[in-house]
């Protein structure tokens, strides 16, 4: 396997793994919310694994960007922020109207803050990279 194929494989692998864990964690969060915390014991381990996988995926993409390997025009970071924002807003609204039996775990709030933080860091890294290459945005 040559170097370009290896990089493409690993980027695809981490993207695929991140997407699988995102779907699994979102399903768990929704299930836990509507079953009044029945799956709360799984939220912490899932959030740690999800945060780790997302960080590895984003970190490898940023290293590739700085080594001029990564050139994607897609914007999955925005999609992750939108998904988590809609999910949390929806859960807050339901909790507000249906009562305190519907609670959002603090683990979920922590993951949302982590997603926003990772997104903000990558946006800053992207701007700095473009600035250093002479393409100020």
């Amino acid at each position: 396997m040559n170097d370009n194929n290896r990089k493409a494989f690993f980027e695809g692998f981490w993207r695929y793994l991140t997407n699988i864990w995102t779907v699994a964690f979102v399903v768990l969060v929704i299930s836990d919310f509507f079953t009044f915390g029945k799956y709360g014991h799984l939220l912490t381990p899932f959030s740690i694994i999800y945060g780790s996988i997302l960080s590895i995926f984003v970190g490898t993409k940023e290293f590739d960007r700085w080594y001029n390997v990564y050139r994607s025009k897609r914007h999955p970071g925005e999609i992750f922020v939108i998904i988590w924002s809609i999910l949390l807003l929806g859960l807050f609204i339901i909790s507000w109207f249906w009562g305190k039996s519907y609670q959002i775990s603090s683990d979920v709030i922590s993951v949302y803050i982590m997603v926003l933080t990772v997104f903000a860091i990558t946006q800053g890294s992207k701007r700095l990279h473009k600035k250093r290459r002479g393409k100020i945005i």
Side-chain angles (χ1 to χ4, degrees):
M1 185 181 288
N2 70 27
D3 209 31
N4 287 337
N5 288 342
R6 185 175 301 127
K7 288 176 185 171
F9 168 77
F10 282 114
E11 180 185 340
F13 171 78
W14 287 112
R15 180 181 310 277
Y16 183 69
L17 194 60
T18 301
N19 290 339
I20 288 172
W21 275 95
T22 299
V23 170
F25 192 54
V26 166
V27 168
L28 176 64
V29 167
I30 293 169
S31 299
D32 184 66
F33 182 79
F34 285 108
T35 59
F36 310 110
K38 181 178 179 181
Y39 304 106
H41 64 285
L42 295 174
L43 288 175
T44 299
F46 261 73
S47 64
I48 291 169
I49 293 168
Y50 176 69
S52 300
I53 290 172
L54 182 64
S55 298
I56 291 169
F57 171 61
V58 171
T60 57
K61 277 180 38 179
E62 286 308 305
F63 279 115
D64 287 349
R65 180 187 324 280
W66 281 88
Y67 287 105
N68 296 317
V69 176
Y70 183 76
R71 288 184 170 74
S72 177
K73 299 296 181 200
R74 297 184 303 180
H75 301 285
E78 287 86 348
I79 293 168
F80 279 84
V81 170
I82 290 168
I83 288 169
W84 281 105
S85 296
I86 290 171
L87 175 64
L88 273 250
L89 184 61
L91 295 179
F92 278 125
I93 290 170
I94 291 169
S95 182
W96 178 276
F97 288 107
W98 289 3
K100 65 180 179 178
S101 296
Y102 294 90
Q103 296 183 4
I104 301 169
S105 168
S106 59
D107 287 324
V108 176
I109 303 301
S110 297
V111 166
Y112 182 60
I113 291 168
M114 186 268 311
V115 167
L116 292 175
T117 303
V118 167
F119 180 71
I121 290 169
T122 59
Q123 293 302 299
S125 174
K126 190 185 304 183
R127 278 193 289 283
L128 182 60
H129 182 254
K130 286 183 178 183
K131 184 177 180 180
R132 289 208 173 168
R133 291 183 57 211
K135 297 178 182 179
I136 301 174
I137 19 180

